[in-house]
Amino acid sequence: MRILDCSAGHRAIWFNRLHPEAVYVDIREETSPSVVADTKALPFREGVFEMVVWDPPHVVNGPESRMAEYYGAQRAEDIRRMIKGTAVELYRVTTENAVLALKWNDHDVRLERILKLMEGWSPLFGHRVASRMKHRSSTYWVMLKKRAPGYSSKQLAFKMLGQGTGFESAKPDW
Ligand SMILES: C[S@@+](CC[C@H](N)C(=O)[O-])C[C@H]1O[C@@H](n2cnc3c(N)ncnc32)[C@H](O)[C@@H]1O
């Protein structure tokens, strides 16, 4: 099975952080991913991965915040754009029956809102795994399945983003 972890970070969620079937992607080079890339424009050809794990950033960071020092400043609008663009790319780089495990914390954007932005992916099941009273937020794991093709990944990109991602014809070595 080919597994894509597209927000690998320090791979804390993995039992085996060097899983032989996984490709670890992160935008931050300092986390030593297998591939440094932005999930909104993944350097993979179409239909490669059968499983995706995605633990995207979920917190709105003001430019002065401590988190912004590590991850950059981020508004709710940036989060929504990243979710939309990444869902389109994940649709493109996955196989027909692919599944996607999403981890989400609803500190700033509600889970339902996020799932609605993920055109091309249907939630199957999931549950809340933790609640933080201090920040009044909950963390969820949700399993999604790729929708049956009613449209091509290119059409999906146009529908969701109003443009192509520019990587549709890239042919890297994966
Ligand atoms: C919540 S952390 C993931 C933690 C990771 N699952 C772990 O177990 O350590 C989110 C990660 O996504 C990365 N990230 C943020 N935006 C990204 C993007 N557009 N493309 C790729 N990675 C991104 C961040 O650098 C960060 O490492």
Side-chain angles (χ1 to χ4, degrees):
M1 175 182 274
R2 286 187 175 142
I3 308 168
L4 171 64
D5 181 344
C6 63
S7 53
H10 297 290
R11 311 179 192 184
I13 59 171
W14 285 83
F15 291 106
N16 175 0
R17 292 181 197 207
L18 293 172
H19 198 287
E21 290 163 293
V23 174
Y24 299 97
V25 166
D26 202 287
I27 202 165
R28 288 181 302 138
E29 198 168 359
E30 64 268 30
T31 61
S32 304
S34 337
V35 177
V36 177
D38 183 336
T39 50
K40 298 191 293 305
L42 289 167
F44 306 116
R45 60 181 161 74
E46 286 196 11
V48 177
F49 298 98
E50 284 131 0
M51 177 181 275
V52 177
V53 56
W54 192 21
D55 177 9
H58 54 266
V59 178
V60 171
N61 304 320
E64 304 302 321
S65 70
R66 206 158 53 102
M67 292 287 273
E69 275 177 40
Y70 296 102
Y71 301 110
Q74 186 165 247
R75 298 163 302 166
E77 192 191 323
D78 299 323
I79 293 180
R80 287 194 291 271
R81 192 175 320 118
M82 183 262 302
I83 297 288
K84 251 171 128 173
T86 302
V88 167
E89 269 297 77
L90 293 177
Y91 194 91
R92 184 181 68 77
V93 301
T94 46
T95 58
E96 203 177 310
N97 292 316
V99 289
L100 187 165
L102 171 75
K103 187 176 172 209
W104 186 251
N105 179 284
D106 65 1
H107 186 275
D108 289 312
V109 187
R110 295 187 64 77
L111 175 67
E112 293 74 15
R113 186 85 204 270
I114 293 301
L115 295 177
K116 278 197 184 125
L117 293 173
M118 293 182 63
E119 176 89 20
W121 296 92
S122 308
L124 291 173
F125 48 81
H127 75 139
R128 187 165 60 192
V129 290
S131 287
R132 296 174 73 188
M133 296 315 285
K134 192 172 159 210
H135 301 292
R136 293 179 182 223
S137 71
S138 297
T139 301
Y140 301 84
W141 272 105
V142 179
M143 183 65 83
L144 300 99
K145 185 184 186 309
K146 188 170 175 173
R147 286 207 176 124
Y151 33 52
S152 71
S153 51
K154 208 167 186 174
Q155 285 169 318
L156 177 64
F158 275 98
K159 183 175 170 197
M160 292 303 285
L161 310 172
Q163 57 179 25
T165 59
F167 277 81
E168 296 85 353
S169 57
K171 295 245 183 314
D173 292 328
W174 295 99

